[in-house]
Amino acid sequence: MNAPLPDPREARVVIIGAGIVGCSLADELTARGWRRVTVLDQGPLPAPGGSTSHAPGLVFQTNPSKTLTEFAAYTVRKFSALRTDGAPCFLPVGGLEVATTEARWADLHRKAGLAASWGVRGRLLDPQQCRKLWPLLDETRILGGFHTPDDGLARAVPACRAQMARAGRRGARFLERHTVTGIERAGGRVTGVTTDRGTFPADHVVSAAGFWGPVIGALAGVDVPLLPLAHQYATTEPLPELAAPHSPDGGLLPSLEEGSPGHEAARPVLRFQDRDLYFREHLDATGGRLGIGSYAHRPLPVDPFTVPAYDDAPAMPSSLPFTPEDFAPSWRDSAALLPALGRSRIADGFNGVFSFTPDGMPVLGESRTLRGFWLAEAVWVTHSAGVARAVAEWMTDGRPRTDVHACDLTRFEDAQRSPAYTEQRGAQNFIEVYDVIHPLQPMEQPRPLRTSPFYPRQQELGAYFLEAGGWERPHWYEANAPLAEDIRLPERDAWSARHWSPIAAAEAAATRERVALYDMTPLRRLEVTGPGALDFLQRMTTNQLRKKPGTVTYTLLLDQAGGIRSDLTVARLAPDRFQIGANSPADLDWLLRHAPEDVSVRDTTSGTCCIGVWGPLARDLVQPLTRDDFSHEGFGYFRAKQTYVGHVPVTALRLSYVGELGWELYTTADLGLRLWDTLWEAGREHGAVAAGRSAFTSLRLEKGYRSWGLDMTTEHHPYEAGLGFAVRPGKGDFTGRAALRGLDPATLARKLTCLTLDDPAHQVLGSEPVLVDGAPAGYVTSAAYGYTVGRCIAYAWLPAAAAVPGTAVHIEYFGHPLPATVAEEPLLDPGMTRIRR
């Protein structure tokens, strides 16, 4: 990323969009000393007509994403401290989600666990307790609810006003009625913003334009994968049952007294997710109405390039005419849950436009192709202040304190950036916004998108495919079902049995006992070449790479604060040529941002493929196919060779992510099928099988191997993640080295810790809270059943005092505390004898 300017007060920032994100960002930047901030909007302030202007303001903090939960929690804290015209900008009325199906009731138990993992207060309620909070509920319809007392309603426009005033006192200016017509640039950097009322020079430009993000992106030549969609919101006639609540002495609650603006709700925000509905009050001193939001209707995509200007829109650009026919089923479902609605009717409504992305996450960060141009897009009011803080930290300090890899604008593959993909996945995210989604559940379309050269053979073997990064990834093969017939495993519950098969146990056993072929093609491959390649990689990574060609090194990418951006395997194939096994498009982007002119960095993933050949018989399989020496003495661990396997030229790396002898064999995509067939035919006499990701995950956890993005992120440094062995401070300077100086591995506050569940029948999947002495103290990162060790393995972040082998803890799974024990790692082969045969 760009380093901050020497004097932040001299940085000229133009923020495009004065909605809740733009106003929050101006406030955050000026609070950090950046005074020359200009916020532009095409509409009148403080309600210029975007999504903020109509947002109902729901803030439910709990989310499967820890990052989004942290963003929402900060939004609650910040807006709770803001006031406009004497009224608060956040109403802490709480949130209540009710279940009318067993599946939803189970999911609320899971959600209560997520809340405990991420530090959000919440408790499960029975139907009677739900009705006390919401007297309009038909308690006979519900099985229970999840109450989060610190959730509530953000008053978005007043929050904008409060932050505009505060940022303005620090020097920011907010200009209405300025339509952006161009983004000026020179030498690969942004230099200004052109509007219909003049040009504004800029060192940084931030697009916080909401659903107009693709329009601003097009002006800058930057892709913004975002789909605007219309969402229905209706308001009832006044309901006597919503009369303003009274205090015990008979008077109005202080928050609802006449002349006290902004206190328009008292009861919790209600979500009826089994019917894709939510409800919030609109109260005043004389009575109240009910606002109803629905995601139950068909997706209603909107072309942001055709949205009318503020003065040309019937109401405002983000408010489209209500479509009663789409809302009719939701009205019936609402009345069934809240019978009082049967005596009322819809008074008014609209279809409000807001943003969806292919994966439902925001799009944040600085463009590499146009430096100084930032995105803060696809952000809902729920996460607005948290996102603004992260982007402000990113701009001023070079990194956000919160891990944002799942929001980074670089996260999408090229194959995921087409308008067709964005529209199809964005619409599906709208449909599924309130669905119960399993952590492994893939979207159904568009698939298949990316397939390895081995895909035809995998189909013949009955592969069960899931998807990641657009890639079809086999999780197990039905052809191996006969191998699982005699394997006895504990029965799984319905949740953990989804997208799982006992065949995975057979594939894991085959890997441990014989040999298996794994498709590792989706592993990202980068090639770094040039006279300065070694020095460049030495500066960028933590481990010592100054080794002779033919060596492979495990190393880390850190940020300036010592946080783990990624982990890499670096093979030095020639003095000035390196092959890197990386994790995400962000790794390529990071290296390209920092590469000097004498270094070339390119992604070779799409044109190559990889097979992992692993197991005690791996050498027996491979050696007859090559004239090179694949003995331990001739081809040691963490070594590389360029050779031939049969007729196929390969780059062979002696690595193993499953804890067994073997090699990663790379070749070009055109020869991939020939490589697979060559290995498959040779493997017949050794009982070789094709094995999938389900077995792979089990095997890597038994060996204690970390998975970046799950087990560690930029929020963690190498020593607490158990990766201090990959850091060589004595090799010279590298990114993050200064931040690690003085850290003592013996005095860590927290550690990534291996747990095993005490009962072999118990299974967890990840993100569950870990209880120490009965209280939440950490959370699970990765988990899988260890077929070799005969019980579930869970890695978790815990306080160092609890991360002592033998310590008894509990993992809460769907409301049940399951006994677990801190284990010494690795669980399998600590002497590395299996790998170094």
Side-chain angles (χ1 to χ4, degrees):
M1 305 301 170
N2 285 349
L5 295 175
D7 182 358
R9 296 175 187 271
E10 296 305 313
R12 298 166 300 179
V13 181
V14 175
I15 300 171
I16 302 171
I20 193 64
V21 177
C23 291
S24 297
L25 180 57
D27 183 51
E28 295 287 339
L29 285 172
T30 55
R32 289 163 173 78
W34 288 35
R35 308 300 191 209
R36 301 175 68 181
V37 176
T38 300
V39 184
L40 305 174
D41 205 294
Q42 62 186 339
L45 299 179
S51 301
T52 299
S53 302
H54 71 246
L58 279 65
V59 178
F60 280 82
Q61 298 171 81
T62 307
N63 191 285
S65 164
K66 178 174 176 287
T67 297
L68 291 187
T69 300
E70 290 181 3
F71 285 165
Y74 180 74
T75 300
V76 168
R77 294 196 302 272
K78 183 174 186 179
F79 290 0
S80 294
L82 295 177
R83 300 183 74 83
T84 303
D85 298 330
C89 293
F90 183 78
L91 307 180
V93 295
L96 176 65
E97 301 175 56
V98 295
T100 60
T101 64
E102 291 291 347
R104 182 69 61 182
W105 185 224
D107 190 58
L108 293 186
H109 282 76
R110 184 176 71 97
K111 187 165 287 185
L114 289 171
S117 290
W118 312 147
V120 177
R121 288 200 306 154
R123 65 187 182 115
L124 294 163
L125 306 180
D126 63 30
Q128 293 73 35
Q129 292 171 313
C130 292
R131 193 169 188 277
K132 285 183 179 179
L133 287 174
W134 254 94
L136 276 66
L137 279 170
D138 179 357
E139 66 187 85
T140 66
R141 290 286 312 276
I142 63 176
L143 302 177
F146 178 50
H147 179 226
T148 45
D150 300 322
D151 291 341
L153 292 166
R155 301 178 61 234
V157 173
C160 285
R161 291 175 55 203
Q163 293 178 102
M164 288 169 65
R166 195 157 67 176
R169 289 192 293 270
R170 303 188 191 112
R173 57 178 177 167
F174 294 78
L175 303 179
E176 63 182 9
R177 302 290 188 173
H178 282 68
T179 299
V180 173
T181 58
I183 305 297
E184 296 191 341
R185 64 198 99 169
R189 284 201 62 91
V190 70
T191 59
V193 176
T194 303
T195 76
D196 58 351
R197 299 176 65 179
T199 298
F200 298 83
D203 302 299
H204 299 274
V205 173
V206 184
S207 178
F211 63 80
W212 284 286
V215 178
I216 302 302
L219 294 175
V222 174
D223 176 44
V224 182
L226 174 162
L227 175 69
L229 285 155
H231 159 59
Q232 292 201 297
Y233 191 79
T235 310
T236 68
E237 292 183 328
L239 289 167
E241 293 85 355
L242 288 183
H246 287 69
S247 61
D249 62 6
L252 281 174
L253 290 178
S255 64
L256 294 171
E257 290 177 356
E258 189 73 41
S260 180
H263 298 278
E264 70 265 18
R267 296 177 182 88
V269 181
L270 178 65
R271 289 205 287 189
F272 180 21
Q273 292 176 297
D274 286 323
R275 289 294 183 269
D276 297 314
L277 292 166
Y278 65 81
F279 309 88
R280 60 149 295 180
E281 294 175 305
H282 293 276
L283 303 180
D284 57 34
T286 60
R289 299 174 299 149
L290 192 64
I292 306 171
S294 171
Y295 293 97
H297 55 85
R298 60 193 168 93
L300 301 167
V302 175
D303 182 352
F305 292 88
T306 63
V307 174
Y310 188 93
D311 293 328
D312 297 329
M316 65 177 77
S318 64
S319 180
L320 304 182
F322 191 60
T323 49
E325 65 278 8
D326 289 312
F327 195 78
S330 292
W331 178 250
R332 291 192 293 270
D333 289 333
S334 298
L337 183 71
L338 307 171
L341 294 181
R343 299 183 293 276
S344 182
R345 67 183 183 88
I346 295 298
D348 53 59
F350 65 96
N351 290 357
V353 182
F354 64 146
S355 304
F356 280 80
T357 60
D359 60 4
M361 298 292 284
V363 181
L364 312 178
E366 184 195 22
S367 168
R368 177 177 49 81
T369 56
L370 182 59
R371 306 296 279 272
F373 183 80
W374 296 77
L375 296 179
E377 298 292 10
V379 182
W380 295 5
V381 171
T382 305
H383 310 112
S384 55
V387 163
R389 180 181 70 170
V391 174
E393 290 169 342
W394 212 339
M395 295 174 69
T396 60
D397 302 331
R399 72 186 293 269
R401 74 183 69 182
T402 301
D403 165 49
V404 294
H405 82 271
C407 308
D408 195 309
L409 62 88
T410 65
R411 70 187 182 272
F412 295 112
E413 306 280 353
D414 288 343
Q416 298 173 299
R417 290 183 170 274
S418 70
Y421 185 95
T422 298
E423 182 170 350
Q424 196 163 17
R425 287 287 171 100
Q428 190 62 30
N429 271 306
F430 178 91
I431 293 169
E432 295 179 353
V433 70
Y434 276 174
D435 286 2
V436 177
I437 303 294
H438 192 276
L440 292 177
Q441 180 177 326
M443 286 195 175
E444 293 304 318
Q445 297 296 332
R447 291 180 62 194
L449 183 61
R450 306 178 79 187
T451 59
S452 80
F454 323 130
Y455 185 67
R457 299 294 182 263
Q458 294 165 344
Q459 290 179 301
E460 292 168 5
L461 293 171
Y464 182 88
F465 291 101
L466 297 180
E467 184 238 25
W471 287 102
E472 295 297 317
R473 307 183 77 164
H475 273 241
W476 66 83
Y477 295 85
E478 288 296 329
N480 295 324
L483 301 177
E485 292 175 356
D486 296 328
I487 294 178
R488 297 291 172 259
L489 296 171
E491 185 176 349
R492 290 199 169 207
D493 66 278
W495 186 252
S496 65
R498 291 191 195 181
H499 306 294
W500 173 85
S501 168
I503 295 172
E507 294 174 0
T511 308
R512 291 277 184 242
E513 297 165 6
R514 300 187 305 280
V515 62
L517 307 184
Y518 288 83
D519 181 2
M520 302 300 292
T521 300
L523 173 70
R524 180 164 302 278
R525 290 171 292 286
L526 309 177
E527 183 181 72
V528 179
T529 58
L534 175 60
D535 290 340
F536 168 62
L537 292 173
Q538 282 282 82
R539 292 193 307 272
M540 297 302 298
T541 70
T542 60
N543 213 336
Q544 177 60 264
L545 303 181
R546 200 172 296 280
K547 303 173 183 177
K548 63 183 181 180
T551 57
V552 183
T553 306
Y554 177 81
T555 188
L556 306 173
L557 285 178
L558 305 183
D559 61 25
Q560 291 289 353
I564 304 171
R565 285 191 56 91
S566 189
D567 62 341
L568 312 174
T569 55
V570 179
R572 191 175 190 187
L573 303 180
D576 60 356
R577 183 162 67 93
F578 296 81
Q579 177 178 302
I580 296 177
N583 285 295
S584 75
D587 295 342
L588 173 65
D589 184 81
W590 180 253
L591 294 175
L592 285 171
R593 285 175 185 270
H594 293 89
E597 291 186 1
D598 63 347
V599 173
S600 170
V601 182
R602 68 186 188 98
D603 191 324
T604 62
T605 309
S606 296
T608 55
C609 58
C610 177
I611 300 176
V613 184
W614 291 314
L617 301 182
R619 183 175 288 116
D620 300 73
L621 191 161
V622 176
Q623 183 63 83
L625 301 175
T626 179
R627 296 183 181 183
D628 278 300
D629 184 0
F630 270 56
S631 69
H632 182 63
E633 296 74 21
F635 198 158
Y637 189 54
F638 266 84
R639 294 293 183 267
K641 281 187 179 182
Q642 292 180 290
T643 183
Y644 287 85
V645 170
H647 297 93
V648 180
V650 301
T651 298
L653 309 185
R654 189 168 169 197
L655 303 176
S656 173
Y657 206 49
V658 300
E660 295 292 336
L661 169 69
W663 290 265
E664 293 177 358
L665 302 177
Y666 297 87
T667 191
T668 52
D670 60 317
L671 291 168
L673 200 57
R674 182 62 177 263
L675 177 62
W676 178 280
D677 290 343
T678 299
L679 294 168
W680 186 257
E681 184 61 32
R684 288 180 183 275
E685 64 178 287
H686 304 293
V689 303
R693 295 290 299 185
S694 187
F696 179 89
T697 300
S698 171
L699 297 169
R700 71 106 175 156
L701 287 175
E702 289 181 333
K703 191 58 182 169
Y705 291 146
R706 277 67 168 139
S707 176
W708 183 84
L710 289 176
D711 299 318
M712 71 279 190
T713 67
T714 54
E715 295 182 3
H716 312 105
H717 66 69
Y719 301 119
E720 58 191 4
L723 298 175
F725 66 88
V727 180
R728 293 291 183 269
K731 75 167 185 171
D733 194 29
F734 56 83
T735 303
R737 180 173 178 258
L740 299 183
R741 189 178 296 119
L743 292 178
D744 184 354
T747 59
L748 300 174
R750 61 181 179 177
K751 290 183 178 180
L752 184 61
T753 307
C754 179
L755 309 175
T756 56
L757 276 76
D758 294 354
D759 188 336
H762 288 160
Q763 175 72 46
V764 299
L765 297 182
S767 297
E768 297 88 357
V770 180
L771 313 179
V772 177
D773 296 328
Y779 60 92
V780 174
T781 58
S782 296
Y785 195 86
Y787 301 110
T788 314
V789 301
R791 63 191 62 241
C792 182
I793 305 162
Y795 271 77
W797 283 100
L798 288 180
V804 178
T807 301
V809 300
H810 288 82
I811 301 175
E812 187 177 292
Y813 183 70
F814 286 88
H816 301 290
L818 308 180
T821 303
V822 176
E824 192 81 49
E825 63 168 334
L827 298 172
L828 183 84
D829 191 26
M832 301 285 283
T833 57
R834 301 173 74 95
I835 291 178
R836 299 174 188 245
R837 302 174 194 241

